[in-house]
């Protein structure tokens, strides 16, 4: 074990004195007791993380009962919902920061394995990136979804507040009326109720084989979550003793399985950013085209908020991820998991308890999965959650309306200067342009809340997993790096064809090139971290290639 260097050498006598000063006992230095890191992302800012200290105690108890020595430290986390529209540009960069945090702490302290205790948007992928990068035994515990409030027969939760912004801006509701609905949206502990990015990444973690069975859908407030925490602590000690590493589990086939389940459930478009980044750290190449290929052959079996009315609690009651796997068992490739069971066995043992919530292949909501990849003279690639688009908008052509900030777009909604049929374009929002590639749920839900049903939105930034409607993101190349999205002007006709995967502006190549030569890059206020992030992605696409 790596930690033995700290336990038996005269050169590490002072190291043992320091560790004893931190609270370790003499018996903790037995050579057969692994040192297990506990990367705890608790804070009292993110609802999905406010209960993680309690789960951490159970993880540490499980580690000790299994013969390990837990060593805990803190991992930062951004609440995307709080940061959105205010200062969202640091959220995606925090993913790399989290992976670096775990690398620093794990290697510096000669740990034999580690548990990542997480729940939300960038924290979970950052921990999975660290697992692939370090390739020492690891297990991820996701903290579970929140439960929606049911009031007057309708589900209420924090994310619906973004839609209320549009209703206020468009004059459909007063500010006072919106404020009066605030108590209905307060739900307590857990990641937001739908299949937004946090819960999508929890599902991905479970299908990758890096968390326990049912971990992704078990509610934060369910007593079973504490049992999963304790068992995760016991399991990491077993993984260390058997020397089972993340790259033994996260093979290419496991990533393909994760994409397939993501497509079947209709998850967040942010997986198109996160899964390739995790795979790259694990030595596996996953490109954006794989999402479209798998989506074309994988039916959409679930209608989860925001694309439907079911919440994650409903998916859990219907059998959770094992139930979804059981529907797809003939498409799933066998891979090991941290559970000691291969994924095929988990799929075989899965049971669907409600056919209305997890549909059969024959009764699918659609015969393609959640995400489509569009290409054309605007984009080498771009991403849309096609299962959240109404039928009348899957093919659309309309005049462009250009905005360089979310605030400008919200102001336009307020003065009603956007018309049905318009195509809103937000360039210079990518990793280099913003920089930091912020999520934009405020403008997308504001358009929806204002009652627009035939307005599309295109950006080289990204969207929240809560986004619905004809919203196309991740346009590559981004405007800052010379992408054609930066050449579009007010009134240009933009053509969207999701079934045929096309995204086009009615301009010649010559016109695009001439306009790009005269395009002015908007000035942005930068922090040192954002300046560094801009330099990292200068000339590259949002996938770092």
């Amino acid at each position: 074990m790596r930690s033995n260097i700290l336990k038996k050498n005269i050169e590490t006598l002072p190291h043992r004195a320091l560790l004893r000063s931190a609270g370790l006992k003499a018996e903790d230095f037995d050579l057969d007791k692994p040192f297990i890191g506990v990367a705890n992302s608790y804070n009292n800012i993110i609802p999905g993380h406010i209960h993680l200290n309690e789960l951490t105690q159970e993880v540490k108890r499980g580690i000790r009962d299994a013969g390990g020595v837990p060593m805990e430290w803190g991992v930062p986390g951004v609440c995307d919902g709080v940061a959105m529209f205010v200062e969202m540009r640091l959220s995606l960069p925090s993913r790399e920061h989290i992976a670096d945090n775990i690398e620093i702490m794990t290697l510096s302290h000669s740990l034999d394995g580690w548990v990542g205790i997480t729940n939300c948007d960038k924290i979970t992928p950052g921990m999975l990136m660290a697992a692939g990068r370090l390739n020492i035994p690891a297990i991820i515990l996701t903290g579970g979804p929140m439960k929606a409030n049911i009031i007057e027969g309708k589900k209420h939760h924090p994310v619906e507040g973004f839609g209320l912004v549009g209703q206020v801006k468009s004059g459909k509701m007063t500010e006072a009326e919106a404020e009066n609905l605030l108590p209905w949206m307060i739900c307590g502990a857990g990641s937001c109720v739908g299949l937004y990015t946090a819960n999508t990444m929890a599902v991905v973690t479970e299908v990758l084989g890096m968390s326990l069975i049912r971990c992704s859908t078990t509610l934060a407030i369910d007593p079973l979550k504490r049992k999963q925490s304790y068992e995760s602590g016991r399991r990491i000690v077993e993984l260390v003793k058997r020397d089972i590493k993340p790259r033994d589990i996260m093979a290419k086939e496991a990533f393909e399985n994760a994409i397939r389940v993501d497509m079947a459930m209709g998850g967040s478009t942010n997986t198109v950013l996160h899964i390739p980044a995790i795979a790259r750290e694990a030595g596996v190449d996953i490109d954006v085209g794989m999402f479209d290929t798998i989506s074309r052959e994988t039916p959409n079996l679930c209608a989860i908020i925001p694309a439907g009315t079911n919440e994650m609690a409903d998916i859990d009651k219907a059998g959770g991820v094992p139930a979804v796997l059981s529907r797809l068992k003939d498409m799933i490739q066998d891979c090991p998991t941290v559970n000691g069971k291969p994924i095929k066995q988990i799929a075989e043992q899965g049971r669907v308890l409600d056919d209305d919530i997890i549909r059969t292949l024959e009764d699918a909501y659609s015969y393609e999965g959640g995400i489509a990849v569009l290409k054309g003279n605007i984009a080498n690639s771009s991403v849309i959650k096609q299962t959240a688009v109404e039928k009348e908008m899957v093919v659309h052509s309309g005049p462009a309306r250009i905005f360089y900030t979310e605030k400008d777009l919200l102001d336009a909604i307020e003065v009603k200067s956007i018309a049905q049929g318009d195509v809103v374009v937000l360039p210079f929002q990518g990793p280099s342009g913003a920089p930091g590639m912020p999520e934009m749920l405020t403008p997308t839900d504001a358009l929806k809340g204002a009652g627009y049903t035939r307005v599309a939105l295109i950006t080289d930034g990204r969207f929240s997993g809560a986004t619905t409607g004809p919203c196309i993101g991740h346009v590559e190349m981004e405007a800052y790096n010379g992408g054609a999205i930066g050449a579009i002007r007010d009134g240009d006709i933009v053509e969207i064809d999701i079934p045929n995967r096309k995204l086009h502006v009615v301009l010649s190549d010559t016109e695009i090139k001439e306009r790009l030569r005269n395009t002015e890059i908007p000035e942005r206020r930068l922090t040192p971290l954002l300046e560094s992030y801009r330099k990292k992605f200068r000339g590259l696409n949002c996938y770092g290639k």
Side-chain angles (χ1 to χ4, degrees):
M1 289 188 289
R2 290 167 42 85
S3 63
N4 283 353
I5 192 172
L6 298 176
K7 300 173 183 175
K8 63 180 181 180
N9 296 315
I10 189 61
E11 293 87 354
T12 56
L13 180 66
H15 305 60
R16 292 192 290 280
L18 288 166
L19 291 170
R20 290 289 300 274
S21 297
L24 265 62
K25 309 298 183 185
E27 58 268 25
D28 291 333
F29 292 87
D30 291 349
L31 296 184
D32 61 346
K33 286 188 173 183
F35 283 0
I36 304 295
V38 181
N40 177 11
S41 63
Y42 162 82
N43 62 53
N44 63 0
I45 302 172
I46 310 177
H49 290 232
I50 60 174
H51 63 306
L52 295 189
N53 269 347
E54 299 170 20
L55 301 187
T56 296
Q57 294 308 310
E58 290 301 302
V59 168
K60 293 195 292 186
R61 189 167 69 88
I63 291 169
R64 285 207 172 274
D65 286 354
V69 180
M71 297 181 174
E72 178 188 351
W73 74 90
V75 174
V78 172
C79 182
D80 284 13
V82 174
M84 215 171 292
F85 181 67
V86 182
E87 181 49 275
M88 184 65 188
R89 297 178 299 166
L90 295 163
S91 177
L92 187 58
S94 77
R95 185 187 68 180
E96 278 71 17
H97 176 74
I98 288 160
D100 292 345
N101 171 295
I102 293 168
E103 177 183 357
I104 290 166
M105 294 299 291
T106 302
L107 298 184
S108 297
H109 301 107
S110 301
L111 302 180
D112 301 303
W114 62 281
V115 182
I117 302 169
T118 173
N119 215 22
C120 285
D121 298 49
K122 309 307 167 301
I123 302 96
T124 300
M127 288 189 175
L128 287 169
M129 288 168 65
R133 178 191 301 179
L134 299 171
N135 200 34
I136 66 173
I139 190 169
I140 305 297
L141 172 71
T142 51
M146 66 170 59
K147 180 75 183 74
N149 294 325
I150 309 296
I151 301 172
E152 297 179 358
K154 184 180 178 183
K155 292 175 180 174
H156 293 277
H157 52 89
V159 175
E160 70 178 286
F162 288 95
L164 298 182
V165 173
Q167 294 189 47
V168 172
K169 290 287 184 181
S170 63
K172 292 187 173 185
M173 178 182 287
T174 67
E175 287 190 28
E177 288 171 331
E179 288 286 349
N180 286 338
L181 293 175
L182 177 59
W184 292 20
M185 297 183 284
I186 300 169
C187 293
S191 48
C192 295
V193 302
L195 196 58
Y196 310 132
T197 305
N199 289 325
T200 301
M201 288 309 303
V203 168
V204 165
T205 303
E206 185 174 336
V207 180
L208 278 175
M210 289 298 294
S211 66
L212 295 185
I213 297 168
R214 298 291 290 268
C215 191
S216 63
T217 59
T218 301
L219 291 176
I221 59 175
D222 190 327
L224 178 58
K225 183 55 69 176
R226 295 175 69 90
K227 293 180 180 178
Q228 291 172 348
S229 304
Y230 176 78
E231 183 55 34
S232 295
R234 293 190 62 88
R235 178 60 60 176
I236 186 59
V237 176
E238 180 69 16
L239 293 172
V240 169
K241 290 180 177 178
R242 295 176 58 191
D243 197 30
I244 297 175
K245 301 182 178 73
R247 292 192 183 191
D248 300 326
I249 294 168
M250 294 195 294
K252 186 171 186 177
E253 294 80 6
F255 285 102
E256 292 173 355
N257 289 340
I259 295 171
R260 192 172 303 281
V261 172
D262 182 24
M263 297 302 104
M265 294 181 70
S268 166
T269 53
N270 278 311
T271 58
V272 184
L273 285 174
H274 297 323
I275 288 177
I278 297 161
R280 184 165 57 249
E281 296 283 8
V284 174
D285 183 32
I286 300 289
D287 63 29
V288 65
M290 185 176 292
F291 287 80
D292 198 66
T293 298
I294 293 175
S295 183
R296 285 179 182 271
E297 61 190 32
T298 307
N300 175 225
L301 307 179
C302 304
I304 308 169
I305 297 169
T309 58
N310 293 317
E311 60 177 308
M312 292 302 289
D314 298 317
I315 297 296
D316 192 57
K317 289 179 182 177
V321 166
V324 179
L325 286 167
S326 75
R327 295 292 200 212
L328 303 171
K329 60 186 177 184
D330 292 335
M331 303 180 185
I332 294 296
Q333 304 171 78
D334 212 9
C335 302
T337 74
V338 295
N339 297 280
K341 293 181 179 180
I343 199 75
K344 275 275 196 183
Q345 184 179 349
I346 294 170
E348 291 287 346
Q349 294 174 346
R351 295 291 180 269
V352 177
L353 305 178
D354 190 328
D355 289 340
D356 291 331
I357 292 174
I358 303 173
R359 291 192 173 185
T360 64
L361 300 183
E362 296 74 23
D363 188 36
Y365 286 96
S366 66
Y367 292 102
E368 288 191 0
I371 290 173
V373 177
L374 312 185
K375 298 182 180 182
N377 68 346
I378 297 175
N380 298 326
S381 67
S382 62
V383 177
I384 186 169
K385 184 189 279 193
Q386 62 176 337
T387 49
V389 180
E390 297 295 335
K391 289 182 180 179
E392 60 267 23
M393 287 297 292
V394 296
V395 177
H396 178 72
S397 177
R401 292 293 313 281
I402 311 301
F403 300 93
Y404 293 105
T405 70
E406 294 176 76
K407 185 180 183 306
D408 290 343
L409 174 52
L410 291 176
D411 290 344
I413 293 172
E414 191 165 12
V415 300
K416 300 180 176 61
S417 66
I418 296 171
Q420 295 281 15
D422 284 351
V423 179
V424 171
V425 181
L426 275 162
F428 297 98
Q429 303 295 327
S432 292
M437 203 179 189
E439 282 185 350
M440 285 171 283
L441 179 58
T442 300
T444 58
D445 259 24
L447 286 167
K448 181 180 176 181
Y452 290 103
T453 58
R454 293 189 299 107
V455 171
L457 192 151
I458 301 173
T459 182
D460 49 9
R462 62 193 178 93
F463 296 121
S464 162
T467 297
T468 60
C471 299
I472 301 167
H474 306 194
V475 168
E476 288 297 345
M477 293 294 285
E478 64 170 293
Y480 187 90
N481 287 333
I485 188 174
I488 303 174
R489 302 289 182 264
D490 281 342
D492 290 341
I493 300 302
V494 177
E495 299 172 337
I496 301 166
D497 186 341
I498 298 173
N500 291 302
R501 305 302 201 255
K502 292 181 180 178
L503 180 61
H504 187 79
V505 60
V506 183
L507 293 172
S508 69
D509 291 346
T510 300
E511 287 174 305
I512 290 173
K513 289 177 182 177
E514 180 62 29
R515 287 188 182 181
L516 288 176
R517 277 195 288 269
N518 297 304
T519 296
E520 293 185 10
I521 296 174
E523 290 189 14
R524 308 287 197 201
R525 179 183 58 82
L526 302 182
T527 66
L529 190 152
L530 288 172
E531 178 63 36
S532 175
Y533 203 75
R534 169 173 278 180
K535 290 177 180 177
K536 175 181 177 180
F537 282 93
R538 189 169 289 155
L540 302 177
N541 65 23
C542 63
Y543 309 104
K545 295 182 178 181

